[in-house]
Amino acid sequence: MDSKLSKKYGLITAIAMVVGIVIGSGVFFKAEKVLTATGGNLPLGILAWLIGGAIMIVCAYTFSILATRYEHVNGIVDYAENSLGKKYAYYLGWFMSTIYYPTMTAALAWVSARYTCVLFDFSIVGPEAMAITGFYLVTSYAINALSPVLAGKFQVATTTIKLIPLYIMAIVGTIVGLSTGMTVDNFTTITKEISTGSSLFTAVTATAFAYEGWIIATTINAELKDSKKNLPKALVIGTSVIVITYILYYIGLSGAVSNATLMESGEKGARLAFEKMFSRVGGTALFVFVVISCLGTLNGLMLGCTRGFYSLAARDVGPAPDVYKQVDKATNMPTNSAILGLLFCSIWLLYFYGSQLTESWFGFFNFDMTELPIVTIYGAYIPIFIMLIKKEKDLNFLKRFIVPILAICGCLFMMVAACFAHKIAVVWYLITFVVIMLLGVSFSKAKSTSKKD
């Protein structure tokens, strides 16, 4: 088997990857949570979306600076290695492969199934939902593992499709809402009095899931044509499009239904808004686009999952590097890495079901795996940004100091917000994180021992 990935993606695919991985489920899945967290205070909810979006753009721009300088097999791991050395890169890569990618991917498989169930009036936690979740997870894996070029085309297509319902709601909802007075009412009426500070933290943490995933686009830098030029463009253009789209959609949604109705409707809120605005038939048709939108996000996340262990093995670290760095000649995909990535997705999906969707299998040991990994991913960014300031002396003042300092502040804000929002659950997550990282230590030591032998 070959051991290198070919250059097969262009700038459009890379932008679609950034936009497509992020936009999809989160804006629908977390819109009602943001509204509930802020007590139906629409301006405060929009502020939460702006804060979360600003942090994403600044972090993405900081990584885009690194992307113009370093290229290997996995962007975020490459930047960690060049900034802090191979050991830090290994542990970051291990975290991404065992926690970050699979938790996000497993959650997105269920979210895609969730909206499919809403479409057909199935229970979102019943056997139908879990069967559909498993089907989506395996299908997404198959598309990425068997035909990465097809997966790239699917990403471009779904990115285009997913923007349709968002912008239709943004434009039509805003126009209708202004003409009926619904938008003004939602902006001026607070459904429930809450503490502004703590509610803002909770809301920003919720937006973090909606904004997460853009970093996964850096995993294709070894497969991206003219990566040092195109990846920075994709990161900056993509994240900017995302923030604008989210804010416009959120405002448009306020013209379709009242804040109170959206908060009460839960998972059916988005469908209700589309049906009220475009009739049952039109609303259902647009909601089909929402499901496709979620599947596009799942596809992008699975792309990162399938390459996670390959990025470690390509550096001759982690479990069985000779096995996981193999690239299939026919598909030009790291097949063994993809299989292990799917296994971790399945394990986390089992935890998600047992902790969030049914009576707890784990007692008090429950945490929200859709949000809490941000505590560690944003923490992991900080040393990389610090080393950019320290090492990249040929950069101008803006890129060397202002941008990374703003990014560090944004990372700290996200970490504090998550701790305020989830309280004791952060402890259960961190215990899990430590155990998994210690497992990574054992593989690292095993590799060192085998080298000595």
Side-chain angles (χ1 to χ4, degrees), residues 106-126:
L108 256 296
W110 175 76
V111 171
S112 301
R114 177 187 196 254
Y115 284 112
T116 304
C117 288
V118 170
L119 194 60
F120 293 103
D121 291 321
F122 295 154
S123 166
I124 65 169
V125 295

Side-chain angles (χ1 to χ4, degrees), residues 13 56 78 85 180 190 194 218 245 303 314 316 339 368 385 404 450:
T13 299
M56 175 185 64
D78 296 343
T180 61
I190 298 175
I194 40 83
T218 66
T245 302
L303 181 143
D316 289 320
I339 292 171
D368 186 346
F385 296 156
S450 65

Side-chain angles (χ1 to χ4, degrees), residues 337-355:
S337 170
I339 292 171
L340 190 56
L342 180 63
L343 175 62
F344 271 91
C345 287
S346 303
I347 292 170
W348 278 109
L349 180 60
L350 187 66
Y351 175 81
F352 183 68
Y353 178 80
S355 64

Side-chain angles (χ1 to χ4, degrees), residues 255-440:
V257 293
S258 68
N259 292 341
T261 301
L262 189 61
M263 291 163 66
E264 292 168 3
S265 301
E267 70 277 358
K268 296 183 179 181
R271 182 180 180 181
L272 180 65
F274 279 105
E275 287 184 354
K276 188 168 183 180
M277 190 61 60
F278 305 105
S279 78
R280 185 172 181 83
V281 175
T284 299
L286 285 171
F287 201 75
V288 170
F289 282 16
V290 172
V291 174
I292 295 172
S293 170
C294 293
L295 293 175
T297 302
L298 174 62
N299 177 72
L301 291 169
M302 183 59 76
L303 181 143
C305 245
T306 56
R307 291 157 173 78
F309 286 96
Y310 171 81
S311 70
L312 298 176
R315 294 172 165 81
D316 289 320
V317 293
D322 291 339
V323 173
Y324 293 111
K325 70 180 176 182
Q326 292 179 3
V327 177
D328 187 271
K329 288 183 178 179
T331 62
N332 193 240
M333 272 293 294
T335 306
N336 296 332
S337 170
I339 292 171
L340 190 56
L342 180 63
L343 175 62
F344 271 91
C345 287
S346 303
I347 292 170
W348 278 109
L349 180 60
L350 187 66
Y351 175 81
F352 183 68
Y353 178 80
S355 64
Q356 304 293 313
L357 303 182
T358 188
E359 187 174 344
S360 178
W361 296 353
F362 309 101
F364 58 83
F365 208 86
N366 290 329
F367 57 84
D368 186 346
M369 72 181 204
T370 68
E371 293 181 6
L372 280 176
I374 69 171
V375 173
T376 40
I377 189 64
Y378 279 99
Y381 293 160
I382 292 174
I384 298 174
F385 296 156
I386 291 173
M387 293 310 294
L388 185 154
I389 295 171
K390 184 176 180 181
K391 295 175 66 175
E392 306 298 336
K393 297 180 179 179
D394 59 329
L395 292 173
N396 61 40
F397 187 80
L398 175 67
K399 291 183 177 180
R400 185 183 174 191
F401 293 104
I402 302 299
V403 173
I405 287 173
L406 288 174
I408 290 169
C409 292
C411 290
L412 291 172
F413 181 91
M414 279 296 194
M415 294 169 68
V416 171
C419 291
F420 267 93
H422 291 276
K423 301 179 175 67
I424 191 64
V426 177
V427 176
W428 311 137
Y429 164 72
L430 289 176
I431 291 172
T432 306
F433 168 78
V434 169
V435 170
I436 294 174
M437 295 308 291
L438 287 175
L439 182 63

